[in-house]
């Protein structure tokens, strides 16, 4: 077996369907656990990134919470150093903070994404995290 950590060793929720929009680089999958609705008003998704995959820079007007469930990933806010994330960690993202998250080059990465205060507006998707930025994190 290769040195790439295989996420199948610790699956909690279904991997979901491959994300096909322009907001991600590399393979990413989404399984909505609680869809956006007017009853709970708290969309929750299980997001799985293949090694090296990541989302674009973006902002959430109402903030977001990430619960890391498997693998090893990155989280970075604009102007700050990257944070390495491991299973069991929680990231609280304040409203309107420009950030991105994704897998490390050698590991799958899965987190639960909880959208908070969704009445404040939809995610604002911004520019991609370039290969140059991603490859020069350390």
């Amino acid at each position: 077996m290769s040195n790439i950590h295989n996420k199948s060793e610790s699956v909690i929720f279904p991997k979901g369907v491959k994300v096909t929009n322009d907001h991600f680089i590399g393979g990413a999958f989404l399984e909505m656990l609680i869809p956006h609705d007017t009853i709970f008003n708290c969309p929750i998704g299980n997001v799985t990134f293949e090694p090296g995959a990541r989302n674009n820079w973006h902002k959430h007007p109402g903030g977001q919470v990430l619960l890391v469930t498997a693998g090893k990933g990155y989280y970075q806010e604009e102007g700050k150093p990257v944070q390495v994330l491991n299973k069991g960690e929680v990231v609280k993202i304040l409203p309107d903070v420009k950030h991105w998250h994704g897998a490390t080059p050698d590991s799958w990465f899965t987190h639960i994404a909880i959208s908070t205060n969704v009445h404040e507006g939809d995610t604002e998707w911004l520019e991609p995290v370039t290969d140059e930025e991603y490859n020069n994190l350390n």
Side-chain angles (χ1 to χ4, degrees), residues 28 30 40 47 49 58 73 75 79 82 85 97 102 106 112 125-127 131:
L30 173 63
F40 294 104
V47 185
F49 298 87
H58 60 286
Y75 168 78
V82 71
L85 301 177
V97 170
D106 63 349
I112 303 297
W125 290 100
L126 304 166
E127 71 276 6
D131 288 342

Side-chain angles (χ1 to χ4, degrees), residues 27-45:
F29 302 84
L30 173 63
E31 175 74 16
M32 287 305 297
L33 304 175
I34 298 179
H36 190 295
D37 62 23
T38 57
I39 298 168
F40 294 104
N41 201 28
C42 184
I44 300 175

Side-chain angles (χ1 to χ4, degrees), residues 26-127:
F29 302 84
L30 173 63
E31 175 74 16
M32 287 305 297
L33 304 175
I34 298 179
H36 190 295
D37 62 23
T38 57
I39 298 168
F40 294 104
N41 201 28
C42 184
I44 300 175
N46 184 60
V47 185
T48 300
F49 298 87
E50 292 179 349
R54 64 228 182 237
N55 53 31
N56 290 1
W57 289 98
H58 60 286
K59 298 178 185 181
H60 303 278
Q64 185 181 47
V65 176
L66 305 178
L67 307 175
V68 180
T69 58
K72 185 174 169 185
Y74 292 138
Y75 168 78
Q76 185 175 30
E77 294 180 0
E78 184 177 42
K80 295 186 178 179
V82 71
Q83 297 175 41
V84 177
L85 301 177
N86 293 288
K87 181 179 177 179
E89 294 192 73
V90 176
V91 180
K92 294 185 263 182
I93 305 164
L94 295 175
D96 291 317
V97 170
K98 184 177 177 180
H99 68 281
W100 69 272
H101 31 105
T104 62
D106 63 349
S107 178
W108 286 77
F109 176 60
T110 303
H111 65 60
I112 303 297
I114 304 169
S115 298
T116 57
N117 303 302
V118 292
H119 59 276
E120 296 294 332
D122 293 332
T123 302
E124 179 184 355
W125 290 100
L126 304 166
E127 71 276 6

